[in-house]
Amino acid sequence: MSMRFSGKVVVVTGAGAGIGRATAMAFAAEGLKVVVADLDVSGGEGTVELIRAAGGTSVFVPCNVTLEAQVRQLMAQTISTYGRLDYAFNNAGIEIEHGRLADGTQDEFDAIMGVNVKGVWLCMKYQLPLLLAQGGGAIVNTASVAGLGAAPKMSIYSASKHAVIGLTKSAAIEYAKKGIRVNAVCPAVIDTDMFRRAYEADPKKAEYAAAIHPVGRIGKVEEVASAVLYLCSDDAAFTTGHALAVDGGALAI
């Protein structure tokens, strides 16, 4: 265990599976106290069990990030449980869209924007005052390579991730002189439940997903977790307002 996060507290949303779970576990392995937040109670409690089984400290708080009262309660419970907040990884997100723009529905738009954009905005809205009171800290938001370019047949999702990057950059500038850094990670295709739903039913799509990355494979959740920990650490003390692609070279083509 390193000492770079000794005594610190982090909130991770969407921590019941995938990138969120891997990152919560990585934070715990570094000695942080981890507040696991997710709409999926079983998944969130499962993450806490894994952290505790490995000797870490964690608590689960159920949270729908689209509901202001629940986000407010998440932050209040973080303070009441651990007395402070140092870092946040706003990772909760959805993708439910696989068609051309004109075929999308208003329900899809509202759902995607609600979780991916409003959820990140609400979390930062209630995290930033706590970090200010603490004297500084760091926030990392989950965007996507789809937020750095186009995503055919996922236009609403792409727009939501562009918005996350906009929120990230704007907050970074607003709080740059207050000791708070705000960055985003932009994963390409990562081996998660979301990936499996989208691709594994069609082996050809899975093969294509691997081929779009020059490294010849899709990413691992642990690789995104490492990027998040870096952005939170003092190693990234001069990095803010940055959208870090974790993409196996996909954007370099």
Side-chain angles (χ1 to χ4, degrees):
M1 181 187 299
S2 75
M3 298 300 292
R4 60 178 174 166
F5 294 115
S6 179
K8 304 296 187 180
V9 176
V10 62
V11 168
V12 181
T13 68
I19 291 170
R21 171 173 283 182
T23 307
M25 294 178 67
F27 272 125
E30 291 274 355
L32 283 94
K33 298 172 182 176
V34 182
V35 179
V36 169
D38 205 293
L39 186 60
D40 177 0
V41 174
S42 176
E45 290 178 342
T47 299
V48 170
E49 289 174 5
L50 289 169
I51 289 172
R52 291 177 176 173
T57 302
S58 184
V59 65
F60 171 63
V61 180
C63 182
N64 180 340
V65 297
T66 70
L67 300 178
E68 184 171 12
Q70 292 194 21
V71 173
R72 187 190 305 116
Q73 176 59 29
L74 167 63
M75 302 313 160
Q77 195 162 336
T78 297
I79 299 302
S80 66
T81 302
Y82 294 127
R84 60 188 294 145
L85 176 68
D86 300 282
Y87 310 108
F89 179 37
N90 297 318
N91 170 71
I94 60 171
E95 46 66 59
I96 55 173
E97 171 197 19
H98 301 285
R100 295 179 187 274
L101 187 149
D103 297 325
T105 68
Q106 183 168 299
D107 285 346
E108 287 176 332
F109 185 93
D110 290 345
I112 293 170
M113 289 294 181
V115 177
N116 294 1
V117 183
K118 181 183 177 183
V120 169
W121 174 74
L122 279 173
C123 285
M124 286 201 294
K125 173 180 172 63
Y126 286 97
Q127 291 157 358
L128 286 163
L130 299 181
L131 295 178
L132 282 172
Q134 188 66 40
I139 295 173
V140 178
N141 299 318
T142 297
S144 168
V145 293
L148 294 169
K153 296 188 177 181
M154 295 185 73
S155 59
I156 305 170
Y157 177 82
S158 177
S160 76
K161 294 304 185 177
H162 277 270
V164 169
I165 293 173
L167 288 171
T168 298
K169 290 178 178 288
S170 297
I173 299 305
E174 290 175 1
Y175 293 89
K177 293 182 180 178
K178 302 293 185 180
I180 299 172
R181 296 182 298 102
V182 187
N183 293 289
V185 286
C186 300
V189 182
I190 307 297
D191 187 9
T192 63
D193 291 342
M194 186 181 292
F195 162 75
R196 297 185 190 103
R197 288 195 301 269
Y199 293 101
E200 285 197 346
D202 186 339
K204 290 184 178 180
K205 285 186 177 180
E207 291 174 8
Y208 170 76
I212 65 174
H213 307 90
V215 298
R217 63 173 176 84
I218 65 173
K220 302 174 183 177
V221 291
E222 293 82 5
E223 292 168 327
V224 182
S226 293
V228 176
L229 266 65
Y230 163 71
L231 289 172
C232 286
S233 75
D234 288 342
D235 293 335
F238 201 55
T239 302
T240 195
H242 183 61
L244 176 61
V246 185
D247 69 346
L251 292 178
I253 297 174

